[in-house]
Amino acid sequence: MDSSLRVKICGLRRFTDVSCAVAAGVHYIGFNFFRRSSRYVTPKQTFEITRELPHQVVKVGLFVDAENSTIDDTLQIVQLDALQLHGSESPQYVQDVRDRYELPVIKAIGLASIEDLAILDEYVTVADQILLDAKHPFNGSRPGGNGVPFDWTLISEFHWSVPWILAGGLTADNLVEAVRITGARQVDLASGVESAPGIKDGELMKAFMHVARQIQV
């Protein structure tokens, strides 16, 4: 059984970036369908850049408080393997999305303090996975993907009944420490392997995956 750290790179917008990520050995690739994000990509663009994506790489579509019609329209154009909900979606909405699309659902939760952990109990019974990200300090228009870590010690003693993913400000330089403190078996990043918002850097992706492959979880 593969015991290496599983990596999700999110916010890819170009074919060259997808190719580099696959060559580097990522497990999940995320496509951001939130229009106000600098990493936004259209369903048509996503279809074009994933035509030859190996089947073992999981394609994840990121949505923020999306209407069913938005997800419907996206799935009519591009085939996704999982849906990531990165807004203020309720537990009932998460359950409804799972039932409607029959796809695994990853629910993102923003953390800033120990009090934020209480909400996780409401989601672990309805989501297939949870993603722990830094909470936006002002609950503004960007609910995640801000390239900053939260206090990892907040979750160092916690365990959940579903798989979970650590996100928020991860880089090749802090990955080992992040995993040591949190016990994460999966990680998610975007800005940590970018040369500019929405533009991935092939060398940074290789460097990150080189570190990730050395970590046994």
Side-chain angles (χ1 to χ4, degrees):
M1 180 180 293
D2 183 8
S3 60
S4 62
L5 188 72
R6 294 177 65 83
V7 176
K8 175 176 175 285
I9 292 183
C10 196
L12 291 101
R13 304 177 63 240
R14 305 183 303 173
F15 176 79
T16 54
D17 296 341
V18 171
S19 297
C20 286
V22 171
V26 301
H27 303 86
Y28 306 85
I29 292 182
F31 301 96
N32 192 326
F33 300 118
F34 181 48
R35 288 183 178 273
R36 294 202 296 273
S37 172
S38 60
R39 301 180 182 95
Y40 171 71
V41 64
T42 68
K44 184 177 180 180
Q45 288 172 318
T46 304
F47 171 77
E48 293 294 336
I49 64 178
T50 59
R51 281 185 174 183
E52 300 179 8
L53 195 65
H55 67 85
Q56 69 268 24
V57 179
V58 178
K59 299 191 297 294
V60 181
L62 185 155
F63 299 88
V64 177
D65 298 317
E67 299 288 341
N68 285 339
S69 58
T70 299
I71 303 177
D72 289 345
D73 292 345
T74 301
L75 291 174
Q76 286 179 1
I77 297 172
V78 60
Q79 181 179 359
L80 298 172
D81 302 308
L83 306 175
Q84 179 173 322
L85 305 180
H86 215 108
S88 58
E89 299 90 357
S90 69
Q92 185 60 58
Y93 180 84
V94 174
Q95 182 66 65
D96 291 345
V97 166
R98 287 181 73 194
D99 293 343
R100 180 181 179 90
Y101 301 105
E102 298 183 338
L103 289 171
V105 173
I106 302 168
K107 178 63 182 90
I109 305 294
L111 301 180
S113 67
I114 195 70
E115 288 76 17
D116 294 321
L117 289 169
I119 196 174
L120 288 171
D121 291 338
E122 302 177 32
Y123 288 96
V124 294
T125 59
V126 294
D128 295 277
Q129 301 199 55
I130 53 175
L131 183 146
L132 306 179
D133 197 359
K135 189 175 185 178
H136 191 282
F138 306 110
N139 292 322
S141 61
R142 294 179 59 195
N146 301 299
V148 294
F150 60 89
D151 179 1
W152 296 324
T153 63
L154 290 175
I155 61 172
S156 61
E157 301 298 326
F158 283 82
H159 302 278
W160 294 281
S161 58
V162 296
W164 60 278
I165 305 169
L166 178 67
L170 295 172
T171 67
D173 293 330
N174 66 16
L175 179 59
V176 171
E177 183 73 355
V179 173
R180 183 188 68 79
I181 293 173
T182 65
R185 301 173 65 89
Q186 304 184 102
V187 296
D188 174 283
L189 72 161
S191 62
V193 288
E194 288 182 340
S195 57
I199 304 299
K200 298 297 187 276
D201 184 301
E203 292 305 312
L204 290 178
M205 286 192 281
K206 291 178 184 177
F208 189 90
M209 291 305 301
H210 175 74
V211 176
R213 280 192 292 272
Q214 313 309 310
I215 300 174
Q216 297 299 302
V217 295

